[in-house]
Amino acid sequence: KLQFLYFIVEINMVTRGQYTSRKLLINGLLMSLSFAWAEGAVAAILAVSAALVDEELNALAGQVLYGAFCVGTLIAPAATFHLGLKRSLVVGLLGWCVFAASFISPTSTVLVFAACISGVLGSMLWTAQGAYFTMNAVHYSEATYFQNPQLGVPVKDSIGLFSGIFAGIFPFALAICKLMSSVILQSDAANPTVAVYSVYTGLAVVCTFTMCTILPMSTPPTEVPPTLKDTLLATVKKLLDKRMLLLIPTNVCFGVAAAYFPVIMTPLTSDAHGTHFVGYMYATSGFIAAAFAFPLSKFSNCFRHGRSMVMLLGGFCYSLLFLIMWFVSPTDIGSLTFLFILYGIGNTVWQGTCMAVFADIWNDDPAPAFANLKLHSGLASTIAYGVFVGRDRSTVAAFCFFVAVIAVFCYLFLVYMAPTTTNIGIDSKLNMYQVSSIHTAFVTGDLSNGNEEEAQLSESHSEA
């Protein structure tokens, strides 16, 4: 009942003008900033720690973190439902604070303990982020129609807008965070390594506080609150969806790439050009990702098959990257820069466009869908961290190349077999004043007024 009440309150906030499109746009921006900078601190730790701490100890921390993350994704939808999206985001960021602080004085016991806690809480963070991202975009679309029906933004375009904002902020934050390590390591700090991890911990704490200021947001109400069993079944049900099965290789490709670079590319770069150079390379990758994010988002929305073309671009970049490492494994600055650029483009496609694809297909029930997204990539990273350490670079690159190629062909088959749907239970281009009257009738139980088409739309809106 409370979930239903929260959702109705949010809809009424939109209809009364209290949740304006401008306010929702700023809210989405604030959530993206808080999430991105905290995630950037953790991503930077995972990327550069192979050059700062023992390589096997770093790999163990990464493996435990992603393993706990996979376990957490199975319970994250239920936990997110009962905690609420906003509280889940805050709790998840607290987990990142613990993980960052554990590297200040790293031991195997401390890192494993922190990675276990952070992995479980981090799974809630990503699950809540996907659901919050979707609902904020849906409410933004509704608000634009209520303010001006002629200039209303359809849900698909609203999701594309916020995915572009997130995909632009996220890699930029990652780039700055990774650049910080290089700057601090070249500074006059008494203990540069401790200084690096202290700065990252402080950044995660600040982001946790700013996340506390975002608007409360609820997922669409259900008749019965989901139990752990319900969410497990919902996650498995989404897993067995043939569209999800065809997207698994794409998530696995990102997961193995996320492990490949810290395990393979970080030591390669550090051995060739020094520890401080690692941050510069990752920063280059991040800036390229940020530069490509918004143009790719606009391109995906302006053309009929734009989103599919962008997804294929990401698959091509990953494939080319691993193909080069399979046969060449270069160490000169120019070649390394080109490889990190390919990595940045591939990342921004997955972090922006791929998430928009998930939001389009499963916008009626986003939490289990995004739990699957992180489950697949997290499980792939867990296995990759354990397998890639000590292996021949060419062999690992060959394996990753075939994963990327399979991902491209599976996505092509998805486009051919099941084009993504952008509806939210009702036509996203429907005049939102009409939705308002239908919504009022639905809440009051009076469905007798209006024509038959409005009654059918009322039932559709009830289901949504």
Side-chain angles (χ1 to χ4, degrees):
K1 291 180 180 179
L2 283 175
Q3 184 75 359
F4 178 80
L5 177 61
Y6 293 153
F7 186 74
I8 296 303
V9 167
E10 289 170 17
I11 295 292
N12 289 336
M13 295 286 265
V14 174
T15 60
R16 294 173 183 175
Q18 296 180 32
Y19 276 12
T20 62
S21 59
R22 182 175 181 272
K23 190 171 185 178
L24 289 164
L25 181 63
I26 294 173
N27 183 66
L29 181 64
L30 180 61
M31 187 277 291
S32 297
L33 285 168
S34 301
F35 181 91
W37 284 100
E39 187 73 20
V42 174
I45 290 172
L46 290 172
V48 305
S49 289
L52 297 178
V53 300
D54 181 73
E55 187 174 334
E56 292 185 359
L57 186 61
N58 176 67
L60 175 63
Q63 189 175 16
V64 173
L65 177 70
Y66 281 107
F69 194 99
C70 293
V71 174
T73 55
L74 299 176
I75 64 174
T80 299
F81 181 89
H82 290 287
L83 276 178
L85 297 180
K86 178 179 177 178
R87 282 193 289 269
S88 297
L89 288 169
V90 173
V91 170
L93 290 185
L94 286 174
W96 285 161
C97 294
V98 172
F99 185 73
S102 68
F103 278 84
I104 295 176
S105 181
T107 64
S108 58
T109 303
V110 171
L111 288 180
V112 169
F113 177 75
C116 286
I117 295 176
S118 304
V120 174
L121 297 182
S123 65
M124 293 172 50
L125 174 67
W126 273 98
T127 301
Q129 184 270 340
Y132 192 99
F133 165 92
T134 303
M135 296 313 303
N136 193 80
V138 170
H139 287 324
Y140 176 82
S141 174
E142 294 170 349
T144 60
Y145 276 105
F146 279 117
Q147 292 169 25
N148 191 332
Q150 304 301 321
L151 300 177
V153 179
V155 171
K156 177 184 177 182
D157 294 343
S158 177
I159 290 175
L161 170 65
F162 283 98
S163 69
I165 291 173
F166 179 79
I169 292 173
F170 192 75
F172 182 79
L174 263 63
I176 295 295
C177 287
K178 291 166 183 174
L179 185 61
M180 286 179 184
S181 66
S182 294
V183 174
I184 296 173
L185 288 172
Q186 290 183 297
S187 68
D188 296 328
N191 192 332
T193 300
V194 173
V196 167
Y197 293 122
S198 298
V199 169
Y200 288 148
T201 302
L203 181 59
V205 170
V206 170
C207 291
T208 303
F209 279 107
T210 57
M211 188 67 83
C212 294
T213 65
I214 64 174
L215 298 173
M217 202 71 65
S218 303
T219 54
T222 58
E223 294 181 2
V224 180
T227 63
L228 175 60
K229 179 181 177 181
D230 294 332
T231 55
L232 288 174
L233 290 175
T235 303
V236 173
K237 184 178 179 180
K238 286 287 189 294
L239 176 63
L240 298 178
D241 187 325
K242 55 188 176 182
R243 296 170 297 180
M244 182 68 76
L245 292 173
L246 290 172
L247 284 168
I248 287 177
T250 298
N251 295 328
V252 170
C253 180
F254 174 80
V256 297
Y260 181 87
F261 266 71
V263 174
I264 303 296
M265 297 301 294
T266 295
L268 178 67
T269 306
S270 178
D271 293 342
H273 303 286
T275 302
H276 68 280
F277 198 76
V278 174
Y280 292 126
M281 284 289 95
Y282 279 105
T284 300
S285 175
F287 286 128
I288 289 295
F292 272 80
F294 192 72
L296 290 180
S297 175
K298 294 296 291 183
F299 180 85
S300 66
N301 288 331
C302 291
F303 298 93
R304 181 180 178 185
H305 299 292
R307 187 160 291 171
S308 298
M309 294 171 68
V310 172
M311 287 290 290
L312 294 177
L313 171 65
F316 171 78
C317 288
Y318 277 137
S319 301
L320 181 58
L321 159 66
F322 294 128
L323 183 64
I324 293 173
M325 285 299 297
W326 181 6
F327 290 103
V328 182
S329 190
T331 58
D332 61 282
I333 294 178
S335 298
L336 285 175
T337 302
F338 179 67
L339 294 175
F340 274 89
I341 287 174
L342 292 176
Y343 179 60
I345 297 174
N347 280 356
T348 197
V349 170
W350 188 84
Q351 291 158 354
T353 307
C354 184
M355 289 190 176
V357 169
F358 271 72
D360 273 349
I361 299 177
W362 293 288
N363 57 58
D364 59 329
D365 192 16
F370 279 97
N372 267 279
L373 179 144
K374 297 307 297 180
L375 175 64
H376 308 151
S377 61
L379 184 59
S381 295
T382 301
I383 297 173
Y385 263 105
V387 174
F388 289 176
V389 175
R391 300 287 180 180
D392 178 68
R393 292 171 181 169
S394 297
T395 303
V396 173
F399 169 78
C400 295
F401 170 74
F402 285 112
V403 170
V405 171
I406 292 171
V408 169
F409 279 101
C410 285
Y411 188 81
L412 285 172
F413 188 69
L414 171 66
V415 173
Y416 171 78
M417 182 197 69
T420 56
T421 175
T422 57
N423 293 335
I424 55 169
I426 54 177
D427 184 5
S428 60
K429 294 184 178 180
L430 181 68
N431 185 312
M432 296 305 290
Y433 283 110
Q434 188 179 5
V435 175
S436 177
S437 62
I438 295 169
H439 169 71
T440 302
F442 165 65
V443 173
T444 59
D446 182 14
L447 299 177
S448 59
N449 296 329
N451 56 34
E452 183 178 352
E453 180 182 1
E454 290 179 334
Q456 293 174 349
L457 289 168
S458 301
E459 295 176 359
S460 298
H461 189 232
S462 172
E463 294 174 1

